[in-house]
Amino acid sequence: MDLLPLEILHHIFLLACSDGGRTGLFLSLVSRSYHDIARPMRYNSVAIIGYRNIDTFLRCYKNDRAALQTQEQESAPIVRHLLLTTDATDMERVIGTGVTESLQSSLLELLQLVGPTIVTMSYTCHVQLEVLLAEHAFPRLRELTFLRNFARPYCQSAGATPIPTYPPLPRGLPSLRKLHVILITTLDHTVPVILARWAHAAPNVTHLRVSNVRGGMGGMEWLQEMLEKKRDERPYPSIAHIVIQPYTRPVHATNRGGMTQAIHGQFIAQLDAYQQNAPADLNLVRLEPAAWSQMLLREWRDGAEGGDGAWPEGRLYTQ
């Protein structure tokens, strides 16, 4: 190690720190010299699981930035790959009290710090991502996966939680090319409304993946419009590749929600028919359903390590 230039060691450590922080932590514990080399590199890939860890990360990150600036180090800690997701305690907290101002403030502070440098991000927190994106620009972000849910129950009965309104999204995502939306509930807005906002904010996206699609969300109507119209008239004109991942087939033949196995079969048949008749300039692929929580972490790590991530080449480009 003593024979290698510091620049080479930084590059080696940068390549090693691609698993969300675990390797960077272990490298820092080897020795004092390893700790100093890894200090700016270990933030290359950061996985924050659980809201309680956001403020802890912010303290560590700001302390390391201040220390390295004091030492006049040439390499500053830079976050390039970010995973923000929840744990079981977060779900209980949100159901009980809703999203707090302190949580939203912490998320805003975090994204303000790392927004200028991140290249890939996976986000599944209860504060809608559109609210956060309205406050900051992400000039280098190329790949984004986010969970689209509505944390507070909504129904049309008297006294129900009103449908939220979100601030307009600025065009702060000029580098975004791959967008993956995981739909859990869309009770606040339909798929066409959601994607229209992203078509404005990220007009250069070429790859779109929508997971957990089901009937009643407006997704099939949006897809039909994409397939039937000319490119410049489509709701998202820049898109050249669409990956649809339907909802999981119901276990029982019937259930109270109406999502029976028969309806699921009809949904898949319609999607396959769309795929067969897709225009030459629009590649449409259907992926098999998957548990999104397990899928998210696995695909994010794979992408940060240089793999296909959420965009497996063999399935994405082969009809």
Side-chain angles (χ1 to χ4, degrees):
M1 292 290 291
D2 295 336
L3 300 178
L4 293 176
L6 184 60
E7 293 80 5
I8 300 298
L9 292 175
H10 276 161
H11 188 66
I12 293 172
F13 278 44
L14 182 66
L15 293 175
C17 296
S18 60
D19 59 355
R22 185 179 180 86
T23 298
L25 175 61
F26 288 160
L27 287 172
S28 299
L29 298 175
V30 172
S31 65
R32 170 58 65 180
S33 61
Y34 269 56
H35 177 275
D36 293 341
I37 297 171
R39 195 171 194 177
M41 301 297 120
R42 63 177 180 165
Y43 292 99
N44 178 56
S45 170
V46 174
I48 302 177
I49 301 175
Y51 294 149
R52 66 186 183 280
N53 293 317
I54 296 176
D55 289 334
T56 302
F57 169 80
L58 285 171
R59 286 194 298 271
C60 292
Y61 183 66
K62 289 189 287 188
N63 287 341
D64 278 348
R65 286 214 313 180
L68 290 169
Q69 289 174 354
T70 302
Q71 299 169 12
E72 297 183 351
Q73 292 273 357
E74 294 183 1
S75 298
I78 294 177
V79 179
R80 295 177 178 85
H81 308 283
L82 177 65
L83 171 74
L84 273 170
T85 190
T86 59
D87 60 18
T89 61
D90 296 327
M91 183 62 69
E92 296 172 359
R93 170 184 171 185
V94 169
I95 291 176
T97 63
V99 175
T100 63
E101 290 186 8
S102 61
L103 170 59
Q104 184 163 325
S105 176
S106 296
L107 287 168
L108 284 170
E109 182 180 4
L110 172 62
L111 294 181
Q112 182 180 18
L113 285 172
V114 306
T117 61
I118 56 173
V119 178
T120 70
M121 180 167 70
S122 290
Y123 177 92
T124 66
C125 298
H126 291 94
V127 178
Q128 293 292 9
L129 186 60
E130 291 96 331
V131 174
L132 304 175
L133 290 177
E135 300 290 332
H136 306 296
F138 297 80
R140 299 184 182 181
L141 186 64
R142 293 186 57 84
E143 184 171 339
L144 172 64
T145 293
F146 76 99
L147 184 73
R148 193 55 166 72
N149 66 353
F150 185 33
R152 302 292 288 181
Y154 170 77
C155 62
Q156 295 183 344
S157 60
T161 304
I163 296 178
T165 58
Y166 303 118
L169 284 175
R171 291 203 169 191
L173 299 161
S175 300
L176 190 64
R177 297 296 184 271
K178 296 180 178 180
L179 175 64
H180 179 198
V181 185
I182 304 172
L183 301 170
I184 300 302
T185 58
T186 57
L187 296 175
D188 49 347
H189 296 292
T190 62
V191 171
V193 173
I194 294 169
L195 293 180
R197 296 167 61 83
W198 285 92
H200 169 78
N204 299 317
V205 168
T206 57
H207 295 64
L208 174 69
R209 176 175 167 184
V210 186
S211 295
N212 203 39
V213 186
R214 65 184 66 218
M217 292 180 168
M220 297 301 281
E221 292 79 2
W222 179 89
L223 182 58
Q224 183 177 8
E225 195 172 358
M226 286 288 293
L227 296 175
E228 293 180 351
K229 291 190 174 182
K230 296 180 180 180
R231 176 176 288 275
D232 58 353
E233 298 175 351
R234 293 170 184 167
Y236 212 141
S238 62
I239 297 294
H241 306 277
I242 300 177
V243 180
I244 300 295
Q245 192 168 26
Y247 68 101
T248 304
R249 183 174 184 266
V251 176
H252 303 290
T254 60
N255 59 26
R256 292 182 179 179
M259 290 298 179
T260 64
Q261 293 178 356
I263 293 176
H264 181 271
Q266 294 170 4
F267 184 85
I268 297 300
Q270 183 182 12
L271 186 56
D272 288 344
Y274 281 168
Q275 184 179 8
Q276 293 296 325
N277 297 303
D281 64 344
L282 190 61
N283 186 28
L284 175 61
V285 173
R286 173 171 66 87
L287 292 185
E288 293 301 316
W292 69 263
S293 57
Q294 300 173 5
M295 170 188 72
L296 181 79
L297 183 58
R298 181 180 67 252
E299 292 181 345
W300 176 79
R301 283 179 173 172
D302 183 59
E305 293 173 354
D308 297 327
W311 309 95
E313 293 284 342
R315 288 180 291 172
L316 180 59
Y317 298 110
T318 302
Q319 291 280 7

